[in-house]
Amino acid sequence: MSIEITTEKDGKLRQRVSIDSFDDLLVDVPTAFGGDGLAPDPHDYFDLSLGACKAITSRMYAQRKEWPLDGVSVKVTRDERDERKGVYRLDVAMTFHGIEDPERLARLEEISHKCPIHRLMTTSTVEITTRTLAPTAQT
């Protein structure tokens, strides 16, 4: 799997993203940072990947257990004020609709911590290799 990102010609900093068959994703930055503010910024995608992964993982677990989970609502709140100091805080509030048993609620929250993105963000060393390719003519 690869992700391709291309600058939008009609945007200041906006980028068009293609992931497999999904090619209508956009990334931008707020106008305060020179963008058009017409799409989520890279931090938004980082944050939403955590919330979505936690919701999906919880639902999968509830389905396996045949628990009556009707849906999951997740609110991710970012505190980036210390990001330049190496601290990026995400507060995740989850609501498990259809589950009232406190033990099951606690178990679903615990399971959400095991989602691949949570583990990636908290326990993995991420190695990034960046290289420059020769430019090609853009259409």
Side-chain angles (χ1 to χ4, degrees):
M1 196 270 308
S2 66
I3 300 171
E4 293 188 24
I5 300 139
T6 307
T7 299
E8 283 278 280
K9 292 182 181 179
D10 61 346
K12 294 177 184 174
L13 297 173
R14 193 171 55 245
Q15 307 293 307
R16 178 165 299 279
V17 180
S18 296
I19 304 172
D20 294 331
S21 63
F22 305 102
D23 58 3
D24 288 331
L25 301 171
L26 295 173
V27 181
D28 202 354
V29 295
T31 55
F33 295 103
D36 294 314
L38 297 176
D41 74 20
H43 283 87
D44 296 332
Y45 282 102
F46 182 82
D47 303 351
L48 77 82
S49 68
L50 176 65
C53 188
K54 284 177 162 291
I56 291 166
T57 300
S58 300
R59 286 195 59 128
M60 290 171 67
Y61 183 83
Q63 286 174 354
R64 277 195 311 273
K65 293 291 188 175
E66 297 182 356
W67 291 355
L69 181 61
D70 296 328
V72 180
S73 297
V74 182
K75 181 177 181 181
V76 179
T77 305
R78 170 189 327 151
D79 178 353
E80 63 204 0
R81 68 190 141 161
D82 292 328
E83 181 180 357
R84 291 181 187 233
K85 296 177 187 174
V87 180
Y88 187 80
R89 294 176 186 90
L90 296 174
D91 177 76
V92 181
M94 301 183 74
T95 304
F96 301 105
H97 304 283
I99 304 285
E100 295 182 18
D101 177 34
E103 289 181 16
R104 286 184 176 183
L105 291 170
R107 183 66 179 146
L108 287 170
E109 180 182 332
E110 179 184 339
I111 289 298
S112 81
H113 299 312
K114 298 178 186 216
C115 85
I117 300 299
H118 185 116
R119 288 193 323 239
L120 179 67
M121 290 178 171
T122 59
T123 64
S124 297
T125 299
V126 178
E127 297 179 4
I128 300 170
T129 303
T130 303
R131 54 197 164 81
T132 301
L133 301 176
T136 59
Q138 292 191 355
T139 56

